[in-house]
Structures are given as structure tokens and as C-alpha cells.
Amino acid sequence: FLRLLLDTGLRLQEMINIRINNIDFTTSSIHVKVTKTDVDRIVCFTDLTKNLLIRFIATHKMEKYLFFDFQTSHKLTTSSVESFIYRLKKRLDIKDNITPHKWRHTFATNFLRNGGDLETLRILMGHSTLKTTQKYLHLSKNDIFKQYKSVMDNERM
């Protein structure tokens, strides 16, 4: 669950509504149909996550939703996920914020740090404007210097 959040930047409501038949393992993508804006979109995931998802689905013989409550067999709710993350944070004595929304921010920052562009990030995150996307970016001074050097050191004069 957390690995997929990190790879996709999906909102919690979008995550809990992923259906197995919306996952394309050939293209390593998910057709997200339940979105905040009611506009479908496609998100991608890494090969590592692809392998984890294949094993997860096969192990638990999932048929409808990717994530569900193993005790009740019902689809997860936002409150059940938030409760689980709270208990996990407490049990592991994690001081940092690890909410699903924080993972969304981390996805956005990582995407840019690794060379992604703002417009692609905007589309992946399901935002209608770049201004909204920019609120998710938390670049350090080192990130800014590194980007500057990679662009300007390659400039031809």
C-alpha cells in the first residue's frame, strides 16, 4: 500500500478504490476511475512495485478491489487506513508524519528531484493547474543548486 502511494502519488480515496481490472501490468499503470475531480487519469508504477503487486494479488487471491479488510472482506475505508497508519506509526515509534497525504507530497518532490517535469507531474497528480502542483514541492537548497548546475554547466557559450 505504502509502496504504491510512493510510486503514484495517489490520494487515499483513489487508492482504496483501485480495482484489479484497472491495473495494466504490461504498461505498469493504473486507470484511476474514482478521483477527487471526477476526471479519470492514468498513473504509473515502478518494476519493483509491479512485482510486489503481482505477488500480493496472487497470495491473497484478489478479485475485485486491490485493497480490502482481510477480516471483513470489505473494501478499505479512509478511516480504516488512517487508523492502521496511526497504529503503525505508534508501534514503530515513528516521529515523522507518514499520512497518505504526506506520501503524496513525497512522491511529487521525488518525481522532480529525479528529473521529472512539472507538467507531467501535474497530470499524474490530477491537478488542473500548475499552481496546485507547486504546493506539493519541497525542494531543498541542495536540490536547487544541483538542478542549476546540471542545466548551466551544460550550457554552450
Side-chain angles (χ1 to χ4, degrees):
F1 190 91
L2 296 175
R3 180 71 205 193
L4 193 59
L5 276 176
L6 186 61
D7 270 11
T8 63
L10 287 172
R11 296 174 180 97
L12 178 54
Q13 189 65 32
E14 295 167 341
M15 283 285 290
I16 63 176
N17 282 290
I18 296 172
R19 292 175 177 262
I20 300 296
N21 62 356
N22 295 133
I23 303 171
D24 184 340
F25 288 104
T26 305
T27 60
S28 297
S29 64
I30 300 170
H31 183 178
V32 185
K33 293 188 174 190
V34 176
T35 67
K36 179 179 178 180
T37 59
D38 293 324
V39 177
D40 291 11
R41 74 178 187 282
I42 303 292
V43 295
C44 307
F45 50 85
T46 63
D47 287 340
L48 172 60
T49 300
K50 174 182 175 175
N51 294 331
L52 291 171
L53 284 174
I54 290 169
R55 283 196 331 225
F56 182 72
I57 292 167
T59 301
H60 299 291
K61 298 173 180 58
M62 295 162 156
E63 296 174 3
K64 192 172 183 181
Y65 288 100
L66 179 58
F67 301 110
F68 63 91
D69 185 316
F70 289 107
Q71 293 175 337
T72 66
S73 296
H74 293 108
K75 181 179 76 149
L76 290 178
T77 63
T78 54
S79 61
S80 64
V81 173
E82 288 166 348
S83 175
F84 167 76
I85 290 177
Y86 174 79
R87 290 190 317 271
L88 180 67
K89 182 177 173 176
K90 197 169 184 160
R91 180 179 292 161
L92 298 177
D93 196 31
I94 297 171
K95 303 294 183 219
D96 293 328
N97 187 356
I98 61 168
T99 64
H101 200 72
K102 179 68 174 184
W103 289 90
R104 186 166 162 81
H105 282 256
T106 302
F107 162 77
T109 301
N110 287 345
F111 185 83
L112 270 190
R113 277 186 182 149
N114 291 322
D117 66 271
L118 269 175
E119 180 60 14
T120 302
L121 180 59
R122 180 192 69 77
I123 293 166
L124 289 170
M125 294 188 76
H127 293 151
S128 56
T129 67
L130 281 175
K131 188 175 183 178
T132 304
T133 306
Q134 288 171 324
K135 292 176 186 177
Y136 283 78
L137 308 178
H138 307 285
L139 298 177
S140 68
K141 190 182 340 179
N142 189 46
D143 294 325
I144 295 165
F145 290 160
K146 185 178 172 184
Q147 179 68 22
Y148 175 85
K149 296 286 279 171
S150 74
V151 170
M152 297 307 289
D153 282 349
N154 292 324
E155 182 180 308
R156 295 178 188 202
M157 298 214 182

